[in-house]
Amino acid sequence: MSGIVVIGTGPAGHRLVTRLRRHDGTAAVRVIGAERRPAYNRVLLTDVLAGRLRPGQLELPAHDGGVRVHQGVTALGIDRRGRLVHTDDGRAHGYDRLVLATGARPVLPVLRGLLRPDGGMAEGAAAVRTLADAARLPGEGPSVVLGGGVLGVETALALRRSGRDVVLVHRNRRLMNRQLDGRSADLLAGQVRSEGVVVECGRRVRAFEPGRVLLDDGRTVPCAALLVCSGVRPVTGLARTAGLAVRRGVVVDGLLRTSDPRIHAIGDCAEYDGTVAGRVTAAWDQADTLAALLTGGTGHYRGTPPATRLRGPRPELAVIGRPDASGAETVLLSDSERYARLVLDAGGRLLGGILFGLPEAAAAAGQHYAHGLPLPSARLAFLLGTRPVRTAPARPADDLVVCHCNIVTRGQLAAAWRSGSTSAAQLVAATRATTGCGGCLAEITEFSRELAGDGAA
């Protein structure tokens, strides 16, 4: 059997298959995934750590009967000439088009005691990449999180909200140092500390021992669970062995093609224009583009604008675009609890920004950035509470995703409204929108006002 074979059941692979079947219900699709469990939303892993969600609640909708899914099966090699994928169950899967959605694996630091002699992680230590990682943690006891990037901060806050004592160790002197400037990093550290997390910046863990870790200044910290959040590396072994072009990731062009035009790559394993995006929004954009192309449509991937929103109820932090860009105007707002730094071009359009403690302004800035619209001339009013405006186009397509964590579209929200969910709260209950990171709450609320205003026509 030939057709489209997808290797990987993460967010990129699952989204691609869903879109393929939506575009063409007759498309022959086969999925190969190494994990034995059904596809799930990895974005919500920290909610499992926090105790807000059970593992089963992360499961993504099952594909229809036209998709053959091979769970717990590992792809071993690609025969490009014969167009076959060989798997560890002894099978060979023929393909017309092959899609690599193999994701990324954690980067583990050189740390005494972290690994067992067989190369596995020591008891009590885990990365934060899969549900199996979350299951490795002891049920209680003090925790140490290694790494103060986005995932490290989210993980530390999640563990603290579950009732654990938590120490966050970060080798840089600023949390989220790749995204934040000094003032926003200070505010973030203060907020994380106010939640009860002990923050150790400018420090390193030298060793992991039963019940404790050793810091580089000689101190020991009690530790029943060590969570490693020190970055990821694209999984490229299959592509490299098959002779495909690989730099940091599997190199693809604007049609998401590798150096073999019958093989594509998307998500955390793909490198486009010299960059591995490493963000789920980029994986979804790539999946959407490729699904259209593989079913006879048109499209061209041109990159996904960078945006980061810290998940969880607090702190409210958003990083949009490139805050370090050179612009014609810089807008600053700073007090003891809030901070904004926006960089604008000569036309007043947002090039990049950092917003802390300003959720409504962050939602509005994100809309302006996404649509390339100039900010209102009343910059201070915009930051201090201007409600997100309805942006062009006035009525985006129904398949525009509003809630990226749970992949809820405007069309699904409108359908739920017509079925009787006639408030923002009811839309949330019916669709699970906002129950991931919560970052789309302002947009959901605004859309519910729009639906109420026009009768959800």
Side-chain angles (χ1 to χ4, degrees):
M1 173 184 174
S2 296
I4 300 170
V5 173
V6 180
I7 303 177
T9 57
H14 186 274
R15 172 73 167 233
L16 173 67
V17 175
T18 300
R19 293 298 190 185
L20 285 169
R21 295 292 293 178
R22 180 177 297 181
H23 289 310
D24 180 359
T26 66
V29 184
R30 187 173 295 208
V31 182
I32 299 170
E35 288 193 69
R36 295 187 179 276
R37 63 172 64 244
Y40 58 91
N41 190 346
R42 302 176 195 276
V43 176
L44 303 181
L45 275 173
T46 51
D47 286 310
V48 174
L49 296 179
R52 292 178 57 196
L53 294 176
R54 299 184 303 276
Q57 292 177 283
L58 271 61
E59 286 189 12
L60 293 167
H63 298 303
D64 62 50
V67 179
R68 296 190 63 180
V69 180
H70 302 269
Q71 291 175 199
V73 176
T74 300
L76 299 178
I78 302 168
D79 174 0
R80 290 168 54 190
R81 178 170 300 194
R83 296 210 295 270
L84 297 169
V85 176
H86 295 279
T87 53
D88 64 354
D89 59 357
R91 297 184 183 181
H93 303 267
Y95 66 85
D96 294 319
R97 296 294 181 115
L98 174 64
V99 182
L100 304 179
T102 49
R105 63 169 54 94
V107 174
L108 301 180
V110 177
L111 177 63
R112 180 163 53 87
L114 180 63
L115 299 180
R116 303 190 306 262
D118 64 2
M121 296 188 77
E123 183 177 355
V128 184
R129 193 68 184 172
T130 67
L131 279 171
D133 293 332
R136 287 174 54 82
L137 298 183
E140 57 185 17
S143 301
V144 173
V145 177
L146 179 55
V150 177
L151 180 59
V153 171
E154 291 178 350
T155 299
L157 290 171
L159 291 170
R160 180 58 190 151
R161 288 162 186 156
S162 75
R164 294 174 182 258
D165 292 332
V166 182
V167 178
L168 173 58
V169 182
H170 186 46
R171 65 182 182 181
N172 197 280
R173 295 192 177 277
R174 295 204 311 253
L175 294 179
M176 289 179 58
N177 51 286
R178 293 185 178 181
Q179 292 91 5
L180 302 184
D181 58 14
R183 177 57 182 154
S184 56
D186 288 344
L187 284 170
L188 174 61
Q191 180 63 56
V192 172
R193 289 187 174 105
S194 76
E195 296 272 342
V197 177
V198 177
V199 178
E200 295 279 357
C201 285
R203 295 263 70 90
R204 295 172 183 263
V205 172
R206 291 300 187 198
F208 175 54
E209 301 172 355
R212 67 178 188 170
V213 296
L214 176 66
L215 301 183
D216 59 354
D217 60 1
R219 288 181 294 154
T220 59
V221 176
C223 178
L226 176 65
L227 284 295
V228 180
C229 303
S230 51
V232 296
R233 180 178 295 115
V235 175
T236 60
L238 269 178
R240 196 181 297 274
T241 302
L244 302 177
V246 175
R247 290 196 287 263
R248 181 164 175 248
V250 184
V251 178
V252 297
D253 61 13
L255 301 181
L256 286 315
R257 297 176 302 193
T258 68
S259 51
D260 182 331
R262 287 188 174 272
I263 302 178
H264 304 260
I266 59 173
D268 288 354
C269 71
E271 178 179 330
Y272 169 76
D273 196 24
T275 300
V276 177
R279 301 186 307 277
V280 72
T281 49
W284 287 328
D285 285 348
Q286 291 168 0
D288 291 352
T289 299
L290 185 56
L293 291 169
L294 293 182
T295 52
T298 60
H300 192 98
Y301 182 70
R302 292 181 172 83
T304 300
T308 300
R309 193 156 193 152
L310 205 62
R311 297 187 62 256
R314 295 183 70 188
E316 297 150 340
L317 172 63
V319 182
I320 301 168
R322 304 191 181 282
D324 58 351
S326 297
E329 178 185 357
T330 300
V331 180
L332 286 171
L333 170 67
S334 182
D335 60 27
S336 61
E337 297 181 346
R338 299 173 300 182
Y339 177 76
R341 180 177 182 273
L342 306 180
V343 181
L344 312 179
D345 67 12
R349 289 175 291 270
L350 185 62
L351 298 174
I354 302 169
L355 298 104
F356 185 96
L358 297 161
E360 195 165 322
Q367 290 188 35
H368 281 72
Y369 179 75
H371 294 287
L373 299 175
L375 266 61
S377 57
R379 311 283 201 238
L380 183 60
F382 177 83
L383 290 173
L384 291 180
T386 299
R387 199 175 68 180
V389 299
R390 188 181 299 181
T391 54
R395 187 177 294 279
D398 279 351
D399 64 357
L400 180 68
V401 176
V402 177
C403 173
H404 286 283
C405 290
N406 293 302
I407 317 180
V408 180
T409 66
R410 285 176 63 99
Q412 290 170 315
L413 290 167
W417 185 281
R418 289 191 293 269
S419 297
S421 300
T422 52
S423 71
Q426 290 172 346
L427 287 176
V428 169
T431 66
R432 295 184 66 200
T434 80
T435 59
C437 69
C440 60
L441 179 59
E443 191 169 355
I444 298 291
T445 302
E446 179 68 13
F447 189 39
S448 70
R449 295 190 185 108
E450 179 183 325
L451 293 169
D454 64 12

